[in-house]
Amino acid sequence: MQDTKTTNILMAGVGGQGVILASEIVAEAMLRAGYDVKKSEVHGMAQRGGSVTSHLRFGTKVYSPIIPDGEVDILFSFELLETLRYVHMLGAHPLIIVNNQKILPPSVIMGKDHYPDNIPDLLSQYCARVHLVSALDIARSAGNPKALNVAFVGALSRHIDIPESIWHDAIAAALPPKIVDLNIKAFTLARQNQ
Amino acid sequence: MKVLLSGNEAIARGAYEAGVRVAAAYPGTPSTEILETIVQYKDINAEWSVNEKVALEVALGAAIAGVRAMACMKHVGVNVAADPLMTASYTGITAGLVIVTADDPDMHSSQNEQDNRHYARFAKVPMLEPADSQEAKDFVKLAFEISERFDTPVFIRTTTRISHAKSIVEFAEPEHRELPHTIKPQFEKYVMLPRNARLRHPQVEERLKKLAAFADEFDRNELILQETDIGIIASGTCYQYAREAFPTKSFLKIAMAYPLPIKKIKYFAGLVDRLYVFEELDPFYEEQIKAMGIAVTGKDVFPVCGEFSPITAQNGIVGSRTHKPDVPSLPALPPRPPNMCPGCPHRGVFYILKQMKVFVSGDIGCYTLGGLPPLNAMHTCICMGASVSGALGIDKALGPNGLGKAVAVIGDSTFLHSGITGLLDIAYNKGTCTVIILDNRTTAMTGRQEHPGTGFTLQGQPTKQLNLPSLCAALGIDHVRVVNPYNLAEVAAALREEIERPEPSVIISQAPCVLHRREYNPPGTPFTVNASACIGCMACLQLGCPALVWHPAEKSGTASINSALCTGCTLCAQICKKEAIQAEA
């Protein structure tokens, strides 16, 4: 393999959306594709409903398990507001892939804070390439809204140049056998979605 | 075979490959997954211990009996285990003993960010510090070799970014080790009477000198000689950050955090123009290197507090990057803190405590979130068990004036870890405190581990189950009652009665965690708000339940319930004075 610059994917979302499992699948795919891979996240305090991030890096040789500020190549965000939290980490020619879903944080639920309007427009001020994906709809049409995270990985997979079969293998390695087919269906629908 | 493993998973694999027979731990972020992974290796007798002191003593006993043993804990767990640690250093071992300390710089899930490298120096035992998962696995094996060669316990120190970061690991075959058939007394080695301890201490000092010489030979303390204008000494994840920021400069990568390789450091210092030591938290290496008479830059340019990144190395050594991306400023973003789950059995208790305006002596667990808005009902959180003994201190300070003004709140697992002795002290020393034990039938915050109250072992095998009310009674508490935390009136009545009583009491709030796979049965029917009956008083919102949503309107507004999140716990319906909240039809 040729020496390649490290690619940095910052995954963001809300506890319960399956961010960590999605990052497991992407990391496993990159390992199978022959890259050095590192991935880092923080578990601990009851994370249900809290902000979740996973740093995923791959290339010929990866040192740090966390992405330095200003070096995110792909911001892969499962929730609209969470995307905004990390735009300061974007690198020089970034891509934002954002799931078109709003999950209201507690202070908004309580009526104390305002959920920002027009987030996709705001994002386009920071990044020339913003892809909006309706992963929940895709998961539903594949048969189960819980496949949202794997469907969303399908949208990411279009921007990573490895064979599709590796993705399927990585999904099969990460999930219980009985839900693999449904998840690959969700993955494929999102991958093909233009 | 190449696999992606977290540092914790790699340590578990390393224990298996090293032929470990006994592993003990109390769950604590970021160390928990070590034992959760070890359980798959059937040759290892693994246990959730009641606390870290017990875990280390179990492991030490096994090592004295002649099998390789490991104890794992988070950084603050070593404080609990410090008593056996300090003397295990004197006794040494028969077969290898490794202690894993998982530190948490930046306090992602901890109450402090103490630097446990100090424990190695304090206890005069060696410490290895892996820089990725492969090293985490390999260093476990090396640690056992060092332990047996030098007759000493050995620390492995990780930080969150090692414990919870995944990187590629290659497996090796497990070592076959003969098992002991019997145990023979060694009076002078293992009975630390003063006369024997006086004989052991000089041996500890001698051992330290030999370990220091070994550190200089140890090839995992690695010199990476490249451009010599800048030389950086670093270990663990800090090495990775600095190497990424300065890929062409020279490094001394420290694998053994204690004792340091003095000759290698002097040699390296002589080769480079400017020497830096890049270490998170305390200037542990820096002070020792300066004491060697070597000029080095460390905490003058790198922070003491918090976690590092490659940017920290960059900023400290060459200054901050000049170009900042020219981007518009963001609107203020609403925060998204962790919250108790919808249907959590703790929520109602904190709601009542807030209403009663009592001072809550708190503790460590999911329920510490009860201190955050809107519940705001926890007023101290220090360490495991401090709620109970702290409440006695408050009781003693305020005397009769304090009656009814303070309570202790502690979880079931935390109570068994460190609350029992405090409760005994309350009974013995004539306290009048009320202690609420939030018994959610699991160690919830670290991901639902078993403990003596659950009746199951780490392996999921049924075992002797602790009877909590009987234990409290046996400690000398005459007033022990069990309440259903989903019945607010019952909780409030019990609390009022017990806190006014001039005698000690325990209220056990008993209901399984909503994530408890074995015990939790969801009530099933989500609730809904009848918008025409809702007067917008926001009383229900004071529960801070993620399933409740406020819809502001011109003058007031209405609440609604997210049926996807609602568990049907009924708390909000109990609070609503207009009976606007009812089960979905």
Side-chain angles (χ1 to χ4, degrees):
Chain A
M1 186 183 294
Q2 284 187 328
D3 267 20
T4 49
K5 180 194 157 293
T6 297
T7 300
N8 298 317
I9 304 177
L10 181 67
M11 301 194 178
V14 177
Q17 284 189 300
V19 178
I20 304 299
L21 180 66
S23 74
E24 297 283 333
I25 291 170
V26 180
E28 180 67 26
M30 303 326 292
L31 169 72
R32 285 165 186 255
Y35 289 99
D36 189 19
V37 187
K38 281 190 180 170
K39 170 173 115 74
S40 178
E41 61 254 343
V42 171
H43 341 172
M45 296 288 282
Q47 286 289 353
R48 274 194 142 191
S51 291
V52 174
T53 58
S54 177
H55 293 230
L56 193 137
R57 319 187 72 199
F58 61 91
T60 310
K61 173 70 190 165
V62 181
Y63 290 106
S64 165
I66 54 175
I67 306 170
D69 278 9
E71 293 187 18
V72 168
D73 299 304
I74 303 177
L75 176 52
F76 181 64
S77 174
F78 287 61
E79 201 272 349
L80 289 161
L81 166 63
E82 291 309 303
T83 325
L84 283 178
R85 252 186 249 290
Y86 305 103
V87 288
H88 69 277
M89 290 186 66
L90 290 172
H93 302 286
L95 166 67
I96 294 177
I97 307 174
V98 55
N99 177 31
N100 192 5
Q101 190 182 352
K102 267 190 191 181
I103 299 175
L104 303 183
S107 59
V108 173
I109 288 174
M110 296 282 295
K112 287 188 177 150
D113 279 326
H114 177 68
Y115 192 99
D117 300 314
N118 305 321
I119 289 176
D121 291 348
L122 271 175
L123 291 173
S124 62
Q125 295 178 27
Y126 294 86
C127 178
R129 295 186 296 156
V130 178
H131 291 214
L132 204 58
V133 179
S134 296
L136 198 56
D137 293 342
I138 294 169
R140 280 200 189 102
S141 57
N144 190 336
K146 285 185 181 166
L148 162 136
N149 55 349
V150 180
F152 197 40
V153 170
L156 172 68
S157 74
R158 291 167 51 199
H159 303 276
I160 301 174
D161 187 19
I162 61 170
E164 183 161 359
S165 62
I166 289 183
W167 288 106
H168 290 192
D169 294 344
I171 292 167
L175 297 175
K178 63 178 180 185
I179 58 167
V180 168
D181 286 349
L182 181 141
N183 276 278
I184 288 182
K185 188 176 170 194
F187 172 90
T188 310
L189 277 175
R191 186 176 164 91
Q192 290 164 351
N193 205 340
Q194 292 304 306
Chain B
M1 187 163 126
K2 274 188 180 182
V3 290
L4 270 171
L5 294 185
S6 69
N8 284 341
E9 292 165 334
I11 287 171
R13 174 74 198 184
Y16 168 68
E17 292 181 7
V20 165
R21 300 301 288 206
V22 172
Y26 181 81
T29 311
S31 72
T32 311
E33 299 81 6
I34 301 172
L35 265 268
E36 290 183 324
T37 306
I38 262 184
V39 76
Q40 69 181 290
Y41 303 115
K42 303 299 175 202
D43 289 345
I44 302 179
N45 196 331
E47 67 162 54
W48 286 132
S49 303
V50 174
N51 64 34
E52 294 86 353
K53 176 179 187 291
V54 172
L56 179 51
E57 289 159 351
V58 168
L60 176 61
I64 289 172
V67 301
R68 286 188 167 182
M70 188 160 87
C72 311
M73 56 203 72
K74 68 181 291 170
H75 60 337
V76 288
V78 181
N79 303 337
V80 179
D83 202 356
L85 167 68
M86 300 307 290
T87 305
S89 169
Y90 277 31
T91 64
I93 46 85
T94 304
L97 174 63
V98 170
I99 306 159
V100 180
T101 165
D103 291 13
D104 190 18
D106 221 32
M107 297 164 278
H108 297 287
S109 191
S110 300
Q111 65 270 40
N112 73 33
E113 56 179 344
Q114 66 186 50
D115 186 334
N116 273 13
R117 291 177 299 171
H118 294 294
Y119 267 116
R121 186 157 60 172
F122 191 19
K124 306 188 178 197
V125 302
M127 173 179 273
L128 301 184
E129 192 169 20
D132 60 22
S133 297
Q134 180 71 51
E135 289 191 354
K137 191 200 71 144
D138 296 345
F139 283 16
V140 172
K141 294 204 268 188
L142 289 170
F144 277 105
E145 287 166 19
I146 294 168
S147 174
E148 287 163 4
R149 178 169 161 194
F150 294 93
D151 188 12
T152 177
V154 177
F155 268 118
I156 290 185
R157 176 192 186 239
T158 63
T159 58
T160 299
R161 298 300 181 178
I162 298 295
S163 308
H164 284 173
K166 288 202 169 186
S167 59
I168 297 171
V169 176
E170 272 189 75
F171 284 2
E173 287 303 309
E175 259 180 63
H176 177 73
R177 302 182 62 79
E178 291 299 323
L179 294 180
H181 298 290
T182 183
I183 177 166
K184 280 190 204 139
Q186 294 181 69
F187 176 72
E188 290 186 344
K189 181 165 165 59
Y190 289 125
V191 183
M192 285 302 97
L193 285 167
R195 55 162 274 198
N196 288 347
R198 279 184 209 114
L199 295 174
R200 294 298 299 180
H201 186 189
Q203 295 182 45
V204 171
E205 300 302 327
E206 196 53 35
R207 181 180 76 200
L208 213 44
K209 283 183 196 151
K210 288 181 187 158
L211 281 162
F214 171 76
D216 271 319
E217 300 158 17
F218 186 43
D219 62 359
R220 305 305 287 259
N221 285 327
E222 193 184 348
L223 284 163
I224 298 145
L225 296 177
Q226 304 184 102
E227 294 167 13
T228 54
D229 56 329
I230 288 175
I232 302 170
I233 298 175
S235 63
T237 192
C238 291
Y239 162 76
Q240 306 287 7
Y241 300 150
R243 185 81 197 266
E244 173 151 335
F246 297 98
T248 60
K249 304 302 178 193
S250 292
F251 285 84
L252 173 53
K253 177 176 178 293
I254 300 286
M256 192 185 239
Y258 189 78
L260 285 176
I262 297 172
K263 284 183 193 154
K264 254 181 204 166
I265 290 170
K266 286 185 173 165
Y267 174 72
F268 185 65
L271 289 178
V272 299
D273 300 337
R274 277 193 296 156
L275 182 66
Y276 290 90
V277 57
F278 185 64
E279 54 187 333
E280 274 172 345
L281 303 177
D282 295 340
F284 182 75
Y285 301 147
E286 182 181 347
E287 286 175 355
Q288 294 180 70
I289 294 167
K290 283 181 171 164
M292 295 171 201
I294 295 168
V296 63
T297 305
K299 294 299 170 186
D300 284 348
V301 296
F302 307 119
V304 171
C305 306
E307 210 171 35
F308 283 4
S309 81
I311 304 286
T312 321
Q314 185 92 20
N315 288 350
I317 294 174
V318 296
S320 35
R321 282 189 255 189
T322 44
H323 79 280
K324 283 261 173 192
D326 185 22
V327 287
S329 61
L330 279 173
L333 301 179
R336 202 186 294 274
N339 192 356
M340 290 178 204
C341 302
C344 176
H346 300 331
R347 183 172 279 108
V349 175
F350 284 102
Y351 177 81
I352 297 294
L353 288 169
K354 184 184 187 184
Q355 294 231 309
M356 292 177 70
K357 298 189 170 67
V358 287
F359 186 94
V360 179
S361 177
D363 225 299
I364 310 270
C366 282
Y367 50 91
T368 314
L369 297 170
L372 300 178
L375 293 164
N376 305 99
M378 183 170 293
H379 309 111
T380 62
C381 169
I382 314 291
C383 68
M384 299 286 281
S387 62
V388 181
S389 8
L392 180 60
I394 293 166
D395 187 7
K396 298 274 176 189
L398 300 181
N401 294 332
L403 192 65
K405 296 198 178 120
V407 299
V409 172
I410 186 167
D412 47 345
S413 191
T414 310
F415 177 71
L416 299 178
H417 176 289
S418 284
I420 299 170
T421 43
L423 189 60
L424 179 61
D425 205 55
I426 289 174
Y428 172 54
N429 285 308
K430 301 175 183 291
T432 64
C433 317
T434 298
V435 176
I436 302 171
I437 302 176
L438 299 171
D439 180 12
N440 65 359
R441 323 287 308 127
T442 188
T443 315
M445 188 170 78
T446 44
R448 302 180 304 283
Q449 290 75 29
E450 305 293 352
H451 62 64
T454 71
F456 288 85
T457 64
L458 167 62
Q459 289 77 7
Q461 302 292 322
T463 186
K464 191 87 182 166
Q465 183 174 12
L466 175 88
N467 184 320
L468 209 45
S470 304
L471 171 66
C472 297
L475 294 172
I477 307 298
D478 294 333
H479 306 281
V480 181
R481 58 163 92 184
V482 179
V483 298
N484 170 11
Y486 294 115
N487 185 334
L488 293 177
E490 183 186 341
V491 172
L495 253 170
R496 259 185 221 107
E497 193 176 328
E498 297 302 344
I499 65 173
E500 293 298 342
R501 194 197 295 278
E503 289 175 64
S505 57
V506 168
I507 298 173
I508 300 170
S509 160
Q510 199 170 66
C513 172
V514 294
L515 302 175
H516 201 306
R517 291 189 190 93
R518 205 168 45 234
E519 293 192 24
Y520 179 69
N521 294 308
T525 321
F527 276 56
T528 182
V529 180
N530 176 354
S532 60
C534 175
I535 57 165
C537 71
M538 300 176 98
C540 56
L541 296 175
Q542 300 314 308
L543 284 166
C545 176
L548 282 159
V549 185
W550 177 246
H551 303 275
E554 213 165 294
K555 277 189 178 163
S556 171
T558 51
S560 77
I561 292 173
N562 178 345
S563 63
L565 294 178
C566 178
T567 65
C569 80
T570 77
L571 289 187
C572 57
Q574 293 174 49
I575 287 166
C576 181
K577 292 199 172 71
K578 295 292 166 185
E579 296 182 1
I581 303 178
Q582 284 172 348
E584 272 183 9

